[in-house]
Amino acid sequence: MQRTAWPSWLFFLAQLALSLGFSDLEPGPGGVAAQSSGDRFKIEGRAIVHGVKLQDWISTARVLVEGEEHVGFLRTDGSFAVNDIPSGSYVVEIASPTYRFEPVRVDITSKGKMRARLVNYIKTSEVVRQPYPLQMKSTGPHSFFVKRETWGWTDFLMNPMVMMMVLPLLIIVLLPKVVNTNDPEMRREMEQSMNMLNPNHELPDVSEFMTKLFSKGSGKSGSGSKGGKSGAVKRR
Amino acid sequence: MAIFISWFVYFFLLFRFSFAVFEDQVGKFDWRQQYIGKVRFAYFDTQSQASKKLLLATEQNVVASLNSRTGDLFWRQVDKTGPEGQIDTLLFHGQDAVVIAGNGRLLRSWESNIGGLNWEMVLDTGSFQAAALIGVQDVVKYVAVLKKAAISLHYLSSGHQKWVENLPDSDTIQYQSVYSAGGTEVLVLGVVPHSHLTIIAFNIEDGEIMDQRSVDAPWLSSLQPSCAVVGPGSLVCVDAVTASLYVLSLNKEDRAAMQQITLQALGLEVAPGFQPTVLSTQPNPARPASSQWFLQLDLDHYILLQLTGGLISPLRDFKPAFLVSFATSGEKTVAAVLAPKNETSCSVSLFSADSGRRLLDTTVIVHLDPNGGMPEKLYVQAFLKKDDSVGYRVLVQTEDHTLTFLQQPGRVVWSREEALADVVTMEMVDLPLTGTQAELEGEFGKKADGLLHMVLKRLSSQLILLQAWLGHLWKLFYDARKPRSLVKNEVTIETLARDEFNLQKMMVMVTASGKLFGIDSKSGTVLWKHYLRNVQANAAFKLMVQRTTAHFPHPPQCTLLIKDKETGLTNLHVFNPIFGKKSHISPPVLARPVLQTLLLPLMDQDYSKVLLLIDSEYKVTAFPSTKNVLQQLQETASSIFFFLVDSSQGRLSGFRLRKDLSTELIWEVVIPPEVQRIVAVKGKRANEHVHSQGRVMGDRSVLYKYLNPNLLAVVTESTDTHQERSFVGVFLIDGVTGRIIHEAVQRKARGPIHLIHSENWVVYVYWNAKFRRNEFSVLELFEGMELYNSTVFSSLDRPHLPQVLQQSYIFPSSIRTMEATLTEKGITSRHLLVGLPSGAVLSLPKMFLDPRRPEVVSEQSREENLIPYAPEMPIRTEWYINYNQSVSRVRGIYTAPSGLESTCLVVAYGLDIYQTRVYPSKQFDVLKDDYDYVLISSVLFGLFFATMISKRLAQVKLLNRAWR
């Protein structure tokens, strides 16, 4: 976002002097309607869709200037010219049912000077220059459809809830078996290490320990990652 | 950070709740039909025998290419509406279709194969007169455009102007025709009415005037349609007053005056009062016109004549004949004549143009639809068969804008109902119940007559149901064995029946041409059509459903109000919306113009709603006007109010009905018309339901909606259009008391204004002249935290004015039309359906247009699911309900509830018609169509077996423990 904003600002500063010269065009098409006897101009440009043959899309596309106030059509080479436009400021867009184009604002002075800039409905006076004659490059096909939610095993297994339920289950089931198969020496070692971990000299009751563990476990699965984190911290 | 997270949550929420189409749903319950409008010019592609192209230009400013084998569109280009886009002429040569549009302003050449523009030229101003293709040495190279004061020649390949020349004395001479025989000159023919004829020859190469002469013709008022160029260089004119033909040689050397030949000498006679016309043909623009031509002497009387060496000889007389047309294939020119055969059909026959002989086996029978119109235009495509005989196909256009394409010996290849390109209004009517369903219904309707009888009746009806069900099962089984492509559910009127959820309805469409259509909403098949012959071109229509299908055995009944805009006189057409038949009920004859209509919820004994018509003397006519109805009206007269709008005077007035069906004025609001004019007045829809009385706030209190059913939204526009001083005003007026509930002014704004008024809100769109953008504004009315009278709303007893909240948003596109979704009970959240100029129909959640959207997010607003305020409204292509099926020039969107609360039926009409269903809150009351039956059943079975196994294991374990 930041990166795209920078050059536009630079452009704006560079165009400041020029835009003062354009200030006489501020009356929109409404003001112009009265003076329709004045000169008429044409907006020219070219529409490009990469990787698609022209004849596949130009017959369904149209050039719309300010809604349907003026209509233009695409030539067989992809260029277009919308004729008979009085001076003013217009939003030019290419309406195609399949391909998406960004609209461009074109300002025409009463003397016929042309300028193209980005459409910004919020800051209407901001000038971010666009090339003129217009170069309308398609940004790809329209996305009309939403993908259906499909169901797969991986989605199920990678679900954090499931992960949280499965891992303690594994620990509960597997850990006693691991301990049981080991010899008594190992067991003693484990107990010692447990003692090391618990700096409190009083060894807690086994049942109490279990209930604590279970209550923590349920809290974990219920309250999400937060509970899980705090539990881990406490255990340490 | 917290704000960011909340934003993210809202975004996610929106994404979840917003509507979108899934890719596999394409075409499942939606359809689109594309139209082009009434045809003005049509050309067949005669370049090659195999070509299927048919080029058309229409009154709707559309240039299109049709597949002549199927009637489908190859491509279509839609220009602006109105005179600026109007197509003056269409010329076709080779691959190029040359169009002159906008009264001679634009000259375009279309590449007819792909539908792209070859070139476009702006011509000088001046009203368009004529255009012609100009050939030089057998090659067509130029287009000549004749305007009022100038003629210009353009290259056909690039559109560049070769030369332009001013026409001499253009203020007195009306130049009307341009002709070239393929030589070195272009002839321009002009006329000074009732004085003389002027002929100017221009050099094709440099536009120099080579010859100019005038010929006395005091009888001539206009070249079109009484004159035509015939043969190598003769102008033939016909005049009714002197009953003569005039022949003038156009050759430079030949300076003779016009040669007069009386019709009597040829044994012909003009029908009294008829303006005779001359019809000639020029098969190839680089060659002279053919020397055979038609002379029309009466509406159904044509004569084929020949001009050779200054002598006119009749070849054949055609009477009766409705239409004639020339066609050329290779070197052969034939004449096709459409003649009436009997009451219901016409026949087209081919005649050799050279001799007037009838060609054998060339008759095509055209069946006329008794509910359609008479043939109006005839276009013929002739082709040479292998045995060198001439075959042909005809395109017949009838008065009701139907195009029918026929092949020998009368097979209809396709037909298009082009009247549907101009739908004015529509309604959706429920389909009737099937016979079995009706049987069950009838059981409840009748009075009890004996216990045993009723038991028997019930048993028989149950048996019938069982039989129907078995039949249905058998059909399913039978169809399942056939390959899918063969199973085609043909929809006919007989098989129409309401489905379980009432999703399939009858669309009754009224078109500007006066043709009515009944269309099945599921498939888009036209089930009936009815052409009203005596409808004026500028008539206004209003369609009302007086009786729905719910009152079996009474047939449903629709009433169409047809109002002539000039005289204001109105007549009613009463018909059955399911079958399209005109009802035998005779509607009242209205002698005075009708100002307002009112469909009351009152019903007569036959369950048809009462329609009140208020005429220009403020007298009320009731329809139906039986004794029962009049009695009911007398009882309820004091509570029937209506309003009238006079936009020219800026006056809104409210009336109350008196017992004797006269009216009294009770209120009047005048909006000064010199400052602002009324552009729209909208009440609420009568069939709208509001489920919840209020909105639950974040702190669990309730904000009650102000649900005034009598509220009118009045929108005005300033007469001053200067962008600094223009404004848009909105008034909310109670239609019963005339009380102004609210007033809002949008400064520096102007139209076009679109308005929706529903529930407790009004949404309107205007153009912000200062910032040059479209803006949405929403008004919401609330009673407050307490409801004054929660049981019933009365306009006369509401002391407190509502609280009005308003918010505005930027909409990044212009708008063509707007409508709100509608559901059965009003539980489902509302969406706005917005028709965009690009042809898309956007489904915009009403959530976005909520004046309570907060600028600063608080805990409470989050609780209420309010979206934080953002000035710009988003447009997402996922919200387009018609994906890539764009609807050209969408003029109206019609919404109707279905039997399912979640589902709203939508029809968008304009040049095209698009029908679909929308689910504003997703399908919460039916299983989704992607519901995973396999998963749910496998999980169920899995759980079942798991419990069985674990039960068994537990038993074993218990046993083992017991043994221990």
Side-chain angles (χ1 to χ4, degrees):
Chain A
M1 205 51 224
Q2 278 293 330
R3 261 200 311 175
T4 51
W6 260 109
S8 67
W9 263 106
L10 287 176
F11 259 109
F12 181 51
L13 289 173
Q15 300 308 328
L16 203 65
L18 240 171
S19 67
L20 284 172
F22 273 85
S23 58
D24 61 328
L25 56 91
E26 281 312 303
V32 165
Q35 44 164 318
S36 58
S37 56
D39 285 341
R40 299 289 183 122
F41 307 101
K42 70 174 171 185
I43 296 175
E44 285 178 288
R46 180 179 290 275
I48 303 147
V49 182
H50 280 292
V52 183
K53 270 192 220 154
L54 273 164
Q55 62 250 43
D56 294 342
W57 65 276
I58 54 165
S59 68
T60 53
R62 286 197 301 166
V63 186
L64 301 181
V65 179
E66 208 64 64
E68 255 179 334
E69 230 168 87
H70 301 278
V71 176
F73 301 97
L74 291 163
R75 291 203 195 101
T76 42
D77 60 354
S79 63
F80 62 85
V82 189
N83 289 302
D84 253 0
I85 295 177
S87 61
S89 173
Y90 305 92
V91 174
V92 179
E93 55 191 325
I94 296 196
S96 161
T98 28
Y99 298 100
R100 187 173 56 226
F101 292 89
E102 294 298 326
V104 175
R105 187 177 278 283
V106 174
D107 302 325
I108 310 172
T109 60
S110 52
K111 292 189 188 79
K113 257 189 182 174
M114 304 289 233
R115 166 178 81 173
R117 55 185 169 119
L118 274 187
V119 176
N120 189 338
Y121 285 108
I122 297 172
K123 286 185 203 159
T124 45
S125 54
E126 192 186 48
V127 178
V128 180
R129 275 275 192 159
Q130 295 286 101
Y132 186 88
L134 302 173
Q135 294 287 322
M136 314 281 264
K137 284 200 184 80
S138 168
T139 49
H142 283 302
S143 61
F144 295 113
F145 305 111
V146 185
K147 273 218 168 136
R148 276 202 191 276
E149 291 164 32
T150 47
W151 197 87
W153 283 104
T154 47
D155 295 348
F156 178 73
L157 288 177
M158 299 314 278
N159 190 334
M161 286 298 204
V162 174
M163 298 261 275
M164 244 183 286
M165 297 228 327
V166 166
L167 276 175
L169 199 83
L170 283 177
I171 290 165
I172 289 168
V173 174
L174 292 182
L175 217 64
K177 285 194 177 173
V178 172
V179 174
N180 274 349
T181 48
N182 281 333
D183 50 347
E185 274 179 36
M186 192 66 172
R187 203 177 211 173
R188 212 170 297 141
E189 242 173 62
M190 285 272 294
E191 267 167 19
Q192 273 174 1
S193 64
M194 289 286 265
N195 283 343
M196 290 283 282
L197 273 174
N198 280 10
N200 290 1
H201 35 271
E202 271 181 48
L203 205 93
D205 193 55
V206 182
S207 63
E208 217 179 283
F209 177 76
M210 283 301 276
T211 48
K212 232 186 216 169
L213 193 111
F214 266 112
S215 66
K216 258 180 205 166
S218 64
K220 246 190 279 177
S221 56
S223 64
S225 60
K226 225 179 183 178
K229 253 182 210 167
S230 65
V233 169
K234 260 182 203 167
R235 234 180 291 161
R236 216 171 270 172
Chain B
M1 188 63 197
I3 293 168
F4 185 78
I5 287 175
S6 70
W7 263 100
F8 179 75
V9 169
Y10 287 122
F11 180 77
F12 187 66
L13 248 168
L14 293 177
F15 190 73
R16 286 285 305 277
F17 279 98
S18 58
F19 170 83
V21 189
F22 296 113
E23 196 156 8
D24 52 276
Q25 286 180 325
V26 165
K28 237 177 172 178
F29 45 75
D30 64 320
W31 50 262
R32 176 180 68 164
Q33 287 168 357
Q34 290 185 302
Y35 295 98
I36 52 175
K38 188 189 180 185
V39 172
R40 289 186 61 205
F41 307 100
Y43 290 96
F44 290 96
D45 184 11
T46 48
Q47 283 284 300
S48 70
Q49 293 280 0
S51 175
K52 298 181 221 163
K53 252 182 310 182
L54 173 59
L55 248 112
L56 306 156
T58 70
E59 281 188 352
Q60 299 273 356
N61 307 350
V62 173
V63 183
S65 171
L66 289 185
N67 183 338
S68 66
R69 303 291 189 276
T70 61
D72 297 333
L73 280 175
F74 280 131
W75 54 264
R76 180 182 71 171
Q77 291 288 3
V78 182
D79 205 346
K80 270 162 91 166
T81 47
E84 278 183 71
Q86 193 190 328
I87 293 165
D88 297 319
T89 193
L90 170 73
L91 304 165
F92 185 48
H93 176 77
Q95 301 301 329
D96 304 330
V98 179
V99 168
I100 294 169
N103 200 7
R105 183 68 182 154
L106 291 168
L107 178 66
R108 291 191 180 119
S109 166
W110 294 99
E111 159 58 56
S112 65
N113 286 325
I114 62 174
L117 205 58
N118 283 326
W119 45 260
E120 178 180 281
M121 282 290 143
V122 186
L123 304 179
D124 296 332
T125 46
S127 75
F128 172 80
Q129 297 296 331
L133 293 168
I134 309 289
V136 180
Q137 291 157 353
D138 253 14
V139 183
V140 178
K141 270 190 177 166
Y142 311 109
V143 179
V145 180
L146 181 70
K147 295 223 177 169
K148 195 174 181 312
I151 178 172
S152 57
L153 207 66
H154 297 261
Y155 289 99
L156 194 59
S157 54
S158 64
H160 292 302
Q161 189 175 288
K162 188 173 168 73
W163 49 260
V164 59
E165 288 297 325
N166 284 329
L167 296 165
D169 304 325
S170 59
D171 43 349
T172 51
I173 305 172
Q174 298 173 10
Y175 294 97
Q176 289 174 342
S177 177
V178 57
Y179 170 79
S180 157
T184 55
E185 53 186 34
V186 184
L187 296 178
V188 174
L189 308 176
V191 64
V192 177
H194 308 293
S195 171
H196 61 272
L197 192 80
T198 304
I199 301 155
I200 305 173
F202 288 93
N203 190 330
I204 284 184
E205 292 309 317
D206 52 10
E208 192 189 331
I209 295 179
M210 297 171 74
D211 182 42
Q212 181 176 2
R213 64 169 161 150
S214 54
V215 180
D216 280 341
W219 40 269
L220 188 66
S221 60
S222 169
L223 284 172
Q224 305 286 349
S226 55
C227 290
V229 178
V230 168
S234 302
L235 184 72
V236 175
C237 292
V238 63
D239 177 46
V241 180
T242 53
S244 309
L245 288 168
Y246 295 88
V247 182
L248 176 72
S249 172
L250 296 173
N251 286 344
K252 255 185 288 181
E253 294 78 32
D254 199 355
R255 287 275 173 184
M258 275 196 153
Q259 180 194 353
Q260 182 178 5
I261 300 159
T262 55
L263 287 171
Q264 215 171 0
L266 297 166
L268 304 171
E269 199 184 347
V270 181
F274 186 78
Q275 166 78 39
T277 59
V278 175
L279 186 82
S280 72
T281 179
Q282 187 177 11
N284 187 342
R287 306 249 181 95
S290 84
S291 45
Q292 289 84 26
W293 43 282
F294 272 113
L295 178 66
Q296 188 182 11
L297 294 174
D298 196 359
L299 276 175
D300 61 345
H301 188 195
Y302 290 86
I303 295 131
L304 182 66
L305 298 121
Q306 190 171 21
L307 178 79
T308 38
L311 283 176
I312 292 173
S313 52
L315 291 176
R316 199 180 176 112
D317 194 310
F318 299 101
K319 187 174 181 170
F322 287 148
L323 297 165
V324 294
S325 174
F326 282 111
T328 309
S329 173
E331 296 298 307
K332 270 190 191 172
T333 298
V334 289
V337 177
L338 183 124
K341 195 159 173 259
N342 52 37
E343 290 286 291
T344 59
S345 61
C346 288
S347 66
V348 182
S349 308
L350 230 50
F351 296 86
S352 158
D354 300 333
S355 60
R357 257 192 314 110
R358 187 197 191 95
L359 300 176
L360 287 174
D361 302 325
T362 56
T363 303
V364 168
I365 309 290
V366 183
H367 286 281
L368 296 177
D369 185 355
N371 293 324
M374 295 305 287
E376 205 174 43
K377 267 182 187 169
L378 185 70
Y379 304 97
V380 180
Q381 180 192 23
F383 53 88
L384 288 175
K385 288 184 188 166
K386 274 177 191 148
D387 56 350
D388 216 29
S389 65
V390 181
Y392 71 113
R393 303 186 188 93
V394 273
L395 183 68
V396 182
Q397 184 182 2
T398 49
E399 287 169 334
D400 55 339
H401 304 187
T402 308
L403 285 180
T404 315
F405 194 69
L406 297 123
Q407 218 171 17
Q408 283 172 284
R411 190 170 70 87
V412 175
V413 184
W414 50 263
S415 78
R416 290 176 68 92
E417 292 291 351
E418 289 304 337
L420 284 170
D422 203 356
V423 174
V424 183
T425 178
M426 67 167 293
E427 283 288 340
M428 270 185 159
V429 184
D430 294 351
L431 291 175
L433 299 164
T434 54
T436 48
Q437 285 167 331
E439 177 81 15
L440 265 184
E441 291 285 315
E443 192 186 336
F444 297 113
K446 273 171 200 151
K447 291 272 172 284
D449 41 11
L451 196 66
L452 187 71
H453 192 86
M454 275 180 72
V455 170
L456 283 177
K457 177 109 195 175
R458 161 57 62 88
L459 282 178
S460 70
S461 58
Q462 294 283 2
L463 263 177
I464 290 168
L465 273 185
L466 183 72
Q467 195 186 348
W469 186 65
L470 284 176
H472 177 70
L473 277 188
W474 169 246
K475 192 172 177 293
L476 271 186
F477 173 71
Y478 194 75
D479 284 348
R481 295 188 323 181
K482 282 197 276 187
R484 176 139 312 171
S485 57
L486 282 179
V487 183
K488 209 176 171 190
N489 288 329
E490 280 287 306
V491 189
T492 56
I493 283 184
E494 286 73 35
T495 59
L496 271 188
R498 199 182 298 180
D499 59 334
E500 282 171 285
F501 298 128
N502 201 3
L503 290 167
Q504 187 179 7
K505 294 197 182 196
M506 176 67 87
M507 292 159 52
V508 180
M509 298 195 121
V510 181
T511 63
S513 64
K515 197 169 187 187
L516 312 184
F517 290 89
I519 299 175
D520 170 36
S521 77
K522 198 178 177 188
S523 60
T525 325
V526 175
L527 294 174
W528 58 262
K529 44 200 169 190
H530 187 91
Y531 179 57
L532 302 172
R533 272 164 217 275
N534 42 12
V535 171
Q536 299 292 316
N538 59 350
F541 298 90
K542 189 170 181 185
L543 184 63
M544 283 154 291
V545 182
Q546 276 199 295
R547 181 164 54 218
T548 61
T549 35
H551 306 287
F552 186 81
H554 298 291
Q557 183 182 323
C558 272
T559 302
L560 179 69
L561 201 95
I562 307 156
K563 184 173 178 179
D564 191 323
K565 268 190 190 147
E566 264 166 36
T567 61
L569 287 177
T570 307
N571 47 7
L572 297 176
H573 175 69
V574 186
F575 62 100
N576 179 335
I578 302 300
F579 301 103
K581 287 199 187 88
K582 195 173 179 196
S583 169
H584 57 270
I585 301 165
S586 56
V589 179
L590 303 158
R592 287 183 293 267
V594 169
L595 297 179
Q596 176 72 292
T597 58
L598 207 59
L599 195 64
L600 297 181
L602 298 178
M603 288 192 198
D604 71 344
Q605 69 272 28
D606 291 340
Y607 305 101
S608 91
K609 284 184 186 164
V610 178
L611 178 68
L612 293 187
L613 303 150
I614 296 100
D615 62 31
S616 57
E617 287 178 14
Y618 308 112
K619 292 276 186 317
V620 173
T621 315
F623 171 66
S625 57
T626 56
K627 209 180 246 176
N628 179 318
V629 169
L630 294 177
Q631 197 186 341
Q632 282 189 60
L633 277 178
Q634 275 194 0
E635 282 164 17
T636 54
S638 60
S639 61
I640 296 174
F641 298 85
F642 60 92
F643 70 94
L644 295 177
V645 185
D646 184 348
S647 58
S648 63
Q649 309 263 326
R651 185 164 49 213
L652 285 136
S653 35
F655 293 83
R656 182 213 287 258
L657 193 68
R658 284 207 196 118
K659 288 198 170 158
D660 58 345
L661 293 187
S662 63
T663 56
E664 58 180 326
L665 182 75
I666 48 174
W667 60 267
E668 198 169 52
V669 173
V670 178
I671 295 166
E674 53 277 3
V675 180
Q676 49 190 334
R677 60 173 208 283
I678 300 170
V679 288
V681 178
K682 252 194 179 173
K684 289 175 190 174
R685 286 177 70 165
N687 57 347
E688 174 183 282
H689 294 273
V690 180
H691 183 258
S692 60
Q693 290 263 310
R695 282 186 59 168
V696 182
M697 317 275 285
D699 58 358
R700 296 286 180 273
S701 61
V702 177
L703 187 62
Y704 287 99
K705 294 176 184 169
Y706 179 78
L707 297 167
N708 183 350
N710 310 317
L711 197 66
L712 301 173
V714 181
V715 180
T716 63
E717 245 187 85
S718 63
T719 44
D720 189 350
T721 52
H722 187 272
Q723 64 137 346
E724 286 294 323
R725 296 186 294 272
S726 65
F727 64 90
V728 167
V730 176
F731 300 85
L732 300 180
I733 298 177
D734 189 301
V736 171
T737 60
R739 188 180 186 187
I740 296 180
I741 306 284
H742 182 68
E743 222 177 313
V745 170
Q746 219 81 42
R747 299 208 179 278
K748 292 174 188 169
R750 61 177 174 86
I753 289 161
H754 302 278
L755 173 74
I756 304 179
H757 183 193
S758 174
E759 276 187 65
N760 64 329
W761 47 266
V762 176
V763 172
Y764 57 98
V765 184
Y766 54 88
W767 170 261
N768 185 330
K770 190 180 174 201
F771 292 109
R772 293 187 301 262
R773 63 194 181 198
N774 285 285
E775 288 181 7
F776 262 110
S777 196
V778 58
L779 283 169
E780 253 180 59
L781 291 89
F782 292 100
E783 292 235 335
M785 294 302 174
E786 278 167 41
L787 214 52
Y788 177 72
N789 179 354
S790 58
T791 46
V792 69
F793 189 96
S794 167
S795 289
L796 303 171
D797 180 31
R798 268 292 129 151
H800 311 298
L801 279 178
Q803 301 167 9
V804 182
L805 303 175
Q806 181 162 18
Q807 219 168 50
S808 299
Y809 317 87
I810 302 164
F811 190 71
S813 171
S814 52
I815 282 179
R816 284 198 63 105
T817 186
M818 203 162 65
E819 187 55 88
T821 60
L822 192 67
T823 51
E824 179 95 10
K825 296 270 180 269
I827 300 168
T828 310
S829 60
R830 309 288 295 270
H831 276 205
L832 303 185
L833 301 172
V834 184
L836 305 179
S838 64
V841 179
L842 180 78
S843 175
L844 191 69
K846 171 69 179 55
M847 246 170 122
F848 279 99
L849 293 151
D850 185 346
R852 301 187 58 251
R853 281 174 68 174
E855 280 183 41
V856 182
V857 185
S858 68
E859 199 61 47
Q860 290 202 354
S861 69
R862 204 171 303 159
E863 188 91 355
E864 266 188 83
N865 267 344
L866 292 175
I867 312 158
Y869 181 77
E872 195 167 342
M873 197 82 77
I875 292 185
R876 300 166 54 121
T877 44
E878 285 90 351
W879 295 349
Y880 288 0
I881 59 169
N882 56 343
Y883 45 105
N884 66 356
Q885 305 285 299
S886 53
V887 187
S888 262
R889 276 198 208 139
V890 54
R891 199 179 310 112
I893 297 173
Y894 179 87
T895 53
S898 71
L900 281 176
E901 172 54 34
S902 66
T903 310
C904 170
L905 305 174
V906 177
V907 181
Y909 55 87
L911 196 57
D912 306 337
I913 298 172
Y914 180 76
Q915 190 277 143
T916 190
R917 299 171 192 164
V918 293
Y919 315 100
S921 302
K922 294 204 164 181
Q923 283 176 288
F924 58 80
D925 47 6
V926 277
L927 288 181
K928 277 182 220 153
D929 45 3
D930 66 335
Y931 188 76
D932 205 337
Y933 293 96
V934 178
L935 181 74
I936 195 91
S937 43
S938 62
V939 165
L940 270 178
F941 278 110
L943 281 174
F944 178 71
F945 285 117
T947 43
M948 294 285 279
I949 291 163
S950 56
K951 196 178 167 191
R952 178 78 195 141
L953 284 176
Q955 275 175 352
V956 170
K957 200 170 183 182
L958 272 178
L959 193 69
N960 284 346
R961 195 179 288 169
W963 274 107
R964 206 183 280 162

